[in-house]
Amino acid sequence: MKIINRLLSALGGAVLLSAAMPSFAQTKHTFGLGDSTFVLDGKPLQMISGEMHCTRVPREYWRDRMKMAKAMGLNTIGTYVFWNAHEAVKGKYDFSGNNDIAAFVKIAQEEGLWVVMRPSPYVCAEWEFGGYPWWLLKDSTLKVRSTDPRFLQAYTNYINQLAKQLVPLQVTHGGNILMIQIENEYGSYSDDKNYLDINRKIFRNAGFDGVLFTCDGADQMPKGYLPGYLPAVNGLEDPVKLKELINKYHNGKGPYYVAEWYPGWFDDWGKKHANVPAAQAAKTLDNILAAGISINMYMFHGGTTRGFMNGANMNKRDPYSPQVSSYDYDAPLDEAGNATEKYYKFREIIAKHLPAGQVLPQVPAKKPTMAISNIKLDAYADVFNNLPKPTESVKPLCFEDLDQAYGFVLYRAQIKNGGVLKLKELRDYALVYVNGKQVATLDRRLKQDSVALTNISSNATLDIWVENNGRINYGPFLADNRHGITQSVMLNNAEVLSWKMYRLPFNSLSGFTFKRNANTSANHPGLFKGTFTLTQVADTYLDMHAFGKGFVFLNGHNLGKYWQIGPQQTLYVPAGWLKKGRNEVVVFDELKADHQNLSTIDLPILDQNSSTN
């Protein structure tokens, strides 16, 4: 077979689908692009890949999930890299703990898996701001995903730091990273080929000397591909159409690669749980593999979007729609890393396409689960009684101007009369209080930004509690992502001025004073704390049906968000985050009060919606 790219020499190797084959340490390999397939060691390679992200899976479980990937028949892991996880503060880089992307890749190599690396600074991925760090928005004139020199400088600085972690792990340097994606679905955003080529140069200058590629949906490929480099396609399942499309934009040749094939889908708050039938997905997989096409299933294992890292969708037709914390994705491997019906059906299909004599490893046993009943929540902190020192301004400031990334801001002003209160460009969710009493809920999802205030005293305190529900991660409004009260507050068409703003990012719970036997019925945002003792640990799920809207800290870990509207009604607790002995849990709830108990159950509930907004 003719090789159209120079073969990329490397030390290192892989166990290709067979547990009986030797470890690929110290084995020389070559990798390149052929006319119709990828080429490994001069032979066709069909990549059967699955996506998983190191930041969504506790580090102590990376190897377990990769063993599950091998047992299903995967030979490759696809993965994004989230810029905002590695540079949360401008100029300060973190590649430790759950952000240790190099360790993630090395574990894959130890488990006999190749890696397709997708470190484009824009990832989408239902992740806050599509992976861009929030601080890029502090300068309201800076334009992300463009040739703005300020953006390109920040982008280049980050890629140069990332290169120190990943360049040595490329197949060209003896590692297991086969390819690098330089942009992600750019055709759905714009069509500037000069910008795409700048991306290429940034990666090349940083030392990424392996195969580069782009990926786009079928309709967006004309705008999003970079001539001369492999164009992968997302979401296209018809083998004939897929080959025709890639031929058209790659000099009449392959290889043929689906960078994102969707055996499941993500969930939005307030909408129905996504479901792709296992039998249907397995039939599609069989057709694609039978056609010799390489594939990356998005997702193989989604895990959980912890903390405040969920993103949101919005376009010109559909309103703002934030995503849930569970990234179960109806994937072959569920949120807790267990094999599903889809997993076993895919395993059967992949086994049909293995080279003669190759067999799959046994599937590891299902993880044990447990239920914990009646955890007493016996300490309380009213957030309104634990406010930090305010920032004062004539006009309300957005999160970014307050130098705050995520979480909440309480805006406070004095008003003298009632009327229609309007928050111009509220982002994203607000509770309105007058003299400490809640009078309205405003939700960007529902296009709510106004409320009529009545019976207002001559010197009333107006409090507006504003939550960042997740910055947009996909679509035309990506660059318009400042949060909080982003324009003005109007009362009877007159601007409300002279504000105090209290920053509550909830990076930790330090600074809050908890009281026992406190009055918890004020219906202010509050924190409910309890402890419980365990003699053994196992995976479990916090049952949040009785709560309103908020998040949970367990032993210092932010487990993610809950919201009574569903469809997610539980929060996954990995066994590794529990302790034998004393454990501490703190529930933040901004909608409901007087919580006294919390329980866990032994299975997730991800498909129950409530009519309550």
Side-chain angles (χ1 to χ4, degrees):
M1 178 174 291
K2 179 182 177 184
I3 307 300
I4 60 173
N5 275 15
R6 66 182 180 88
L7 292 180
L8 307 174
S9 299
L11 297 175
V15 179
L16 296 178
L17 298 174
S18 172
M21 293 180 68
S23 169
F24 58 80
Q26 299 181 356
T27 303
K28 187 175 181 179
H29 285 266
T30 59
F31 177 76
L33 307 182
D35 285 350
S36 60
T37 69
F38 297 105
V39 178
L40 179 69
D41 297 338
K43 298 178 181 179
L45 169 68
Q46 185 174 25
M47 279 192 278
I48 307 176
S49 176
E51 186 94 3
M52 58 183 283
H53 306 140
C54 66
T55 50
R56 282 181 159 134
V57 181
R59 180 173 180 149
E60 53 265 46
Y61 298 125
W62 289 350
R63 189 178 301 276
D64 169 81
R65 302 325 190 234
M66 291 179 186
K67 287 183 181 296
M68 295 294 291
K70 287 285 291 184
M72 197 180 81
L74 302 185
N75 57 13
T76 306
I77 294 294
T79 188
Y80 281 133
V81 186
F82 301 129
W83 182 1
N84 59 6
H86 297 293
E87 196 182 359
V89 177
K90 185 177 182 180
K92 295 183 179 180
Y93 298 93
D94 180 10
F95 294 100
S96 63
N98 243 77
N99 290 333
D100 193 345
I101 184 65
F104 182 81
V105 173
K106 290 174 184 177
I107 290 172
Q109 185 173 28
E110 291 166 3
E111 294 301 322
L113 291 161
W114 298 108
V115 169
V116 171
M117 185 59 61
R118 309 211 288 154
S120 163
Y122 170 72
V123 296
C124 185
E126 293 69 59
W127 191 266
E128 224 273 348
F129 198 12
Y132 287 132
W134 71 277
W135 45 261
L136 288 170
L137 297 165
K138 290 173 68 173
D139 182 344
S140 63
T141 67
L142 184 150
K143 296 298 181 184
V144 300
R145 218 175 185 189
S146 77
T147 56
D148 184 325
R150 296 163 297 177
F151 167 68
L152 292 177
Q153 186 61 63
Y155 170 2
T156 301
N157 293 343
Y158 161 65
I159 292 298
N160 287 341
Q161 291 295 322
L162 185 64
K164 296 176 183 178
Q165 305 293 318
L166 297 181
V167 162
L169 304 180
Q170 297 176 104
V171 69
T172 46
H173 296 254
N176 58 324
I177 297 175
L178 296 179
M179 303 196 300
I180 301 288
Q181 180 179 296
I182 60 169
E183 239 290 4
N184 187 60
E185 298 179 322
Y186 179 65
S188 67
Y189 185 75
S190 189
D191 60 357
D192 185 347
K193 300 298 182 185
N194 177 52
Y195 168 72
L196 281 174
D197 196 52
I198 290 172
N199 279 253
R200 177 193 66 81
K201 291 175 182 176
I202 290 172
F203 276 89
R204 286 295 192 224
N205 291 340
F208 291 100
D209 53 7
V211 172
L212 305 180
F213 73 102
T214 59
C215 76
D216 288 282
D219 293 339
Q220 288 81 38
M221 187 176 285
K223 295 194 298 181
Y225 86 107
L226 182 62
Y229 291 84
L230 179 67
V233 65
N234 290 353
L236 186 58
E237 298 179 341
D238 183 315
V240 173
K241 292 181 179 178
L242 187 149
K243 289 183 177 181
E244 289 176 350
L245 183 69
I246 292 179
N247 283 340
K248 183 176 181 180
Y249 295 104
H250 197 231
N251 301 318
K253 299 174 182 178
Y256 306 106
Y257 181 49
V258 183
E260 293 184 16
W261 171 63
Y262 307 112
W265 201 248
F266 61 89
D267 287 340
D268 289 338
W269 288 116
K271 298 182 180 179
K272 290 184 177 181
H273 176 59
N275 177 264
V276 177
Q280 171 189 318
K283 182 178 180 181
T284 301
L285 178 62
D286 194 13
N287 291 339
I288 292 173
L289 294 182
I293 294 167
S294 289
I295 194 168
N296 178 51
M297 55 189 69
Y298 191 100
M299 299 290 294
F300 162 68
H301 173 49
T304 312
T305 307
R306 301 292 187 185
F308 303 127
M309 286 296 105
N310 69 282
N313 280 339
M314 183 174 173
N315 58 46
K316 295 177 181 178
R317 298 185 306 274
D318 300 318
Y320 172 83
S321 186
Q323 292 113 19
V324 306
S325 289
S326 171
Y327 208 58
D328 177 89
Y329 217 89
D330 189 28
L333 211 61
D334 71 13
E335 185 176 7
N338 295 305
T340 65
E341 176 192 6
K342 196 171 286 182
Y343 178 100
Y344 286 106
K345 287 188 178 297
F346 287 6
R347 175 179 157 92
E348 291 176 5
I349 295 299
I350 292 170
K352 287 172 46 180
H353 297 278
L354 292 180
Q358 290 190 5
V359 295
L360 296 179
Q362 292 296 312
V363 178
K366 186 175 181 179
K367 286 80 180 168
T369 60
M370 66 179 184
I372 308 168
S373 61
N374 199 28
I375 300 170
K376 296 294 185 182
L377 300 175
D378 55 7
Y380 173 68
D382 184 325
V383 173
F384 280 23
N385 294 334
N386 284 268
L387 296 175
K389 183 178 179 180
T391 298
E392 298 188 26
S393 173
V394 173
K395 295 188 176 184
L397 303 176
C398 67
F399 276 44
E400 293 76 16
D401 286 342
L402 289 167
D403 200 30
Q404 181 169 326
Y406 316 110
F408 308 79
V409 169
L410 177 64
Y411 295 82
R412 177 170 288 174
Q414 303 302 124
I415 56 176
K416 298 180 179 180
N417 55 272
V420 175
L421 182 77
K422 182 179 179 64
L423 279 60
K424 298 186 71 174
E425 291 299 327
L426 165 67
R427 298 175 183 180
D428 302 299
Y429 187 86
L431 305 177
V432 181
Y433 296 82
V434 176
N435 292 332
K437 181 180 179 181
Q438 185 181 332
V439 296
T441 299
L442 302 177
D443 189 342
R444 186 183 182 189
R445 294 179 314 120
L446 306 177
K447 298 184 178 181
Q448 297 169 337
D449 65 359
S450 304
V451 59
L453 302 182
T454 59
N455 300 319
I456 302 301
S457 61
S458 60
N459 190 28
T461 298
L462 172 68
D463 285 325
I464 306 175
W465 172 266
V466 178
E467 176 181 1
N468 170 357
N469 243 351
R471 291 184 179 88
I472 294 166
N473 62 263
Y474 180 82
F477 300 108
L478 185 70
D480 183 14
N481 246 330
R482 302 187 109 204
H483 268 62
I485 297 177
T486 61
Q487 291 192 17
S488 62
V489 178
M490 308 296 290
L491 182 59
N492 281 341
N493 295 317
E495 189 169 1
V496 180
L497 303 175
S498 299
W499 291 89
K500 293 181 179 180
M501 289 151 289
Y502 301 87
R503 301 166 63 252
L504 293 148
F506 288 103
N507 297 323
S508 72
L509 301 181
S510 62
F512 290 93
T513 300
F514 288 84
K515 297 180 179 180
R516 297 186 183 278
N517 303 315
N519 177 14
T520 66
S521 60
N523 205 29
H524 292 164
L527 295 157
F528 301 82
K529 182 164 68 173
T531 60
F532 57 99
T533 302
L534 297 176
T535 58
Q536 61 181 8
V537 299
D539 285 353
T540 191
Y541 301 85
L542 292 180
D543 182 356
M544 305 308 297
H545 278 95
F547 295 79
K549 187 178 193 298
F551 56 85
V552 180
F553 270 82
L554 175 73
N555 293 332
H557 296 279
N558 188 330
L559 298 180
K561 298 179 182 179
Y562 67 89
W563 195 352
Q564 61 192 359
I565 63 176
Q568 178 181 347
Q569 300 291 350
T570 55
L571 282 170
Y572 168 53
V573 180
W577 289 0
L578 292 166
K579 299 182 289 188
K580 291 183 180 180
R582 185 179 183 273
N583 295 264
E584 180 181 271
V585 63
V586 181
V587 181
F588 168 81
D589 196 335
E590 59 188 308
L591 295 183
K592 294 185 178 183
D594 203 26
H595 299 298
Q596 298 179 18
N597 298 282
L598 174 67
S599 296
T600 81
I601 54 180
D602 60 1
L603 77 170
I605 300 175
L606 303 175
D607 59 356
Q608 290 184 5
N609 292 94
S610 167
S611 60
T612 304
N613 286 327

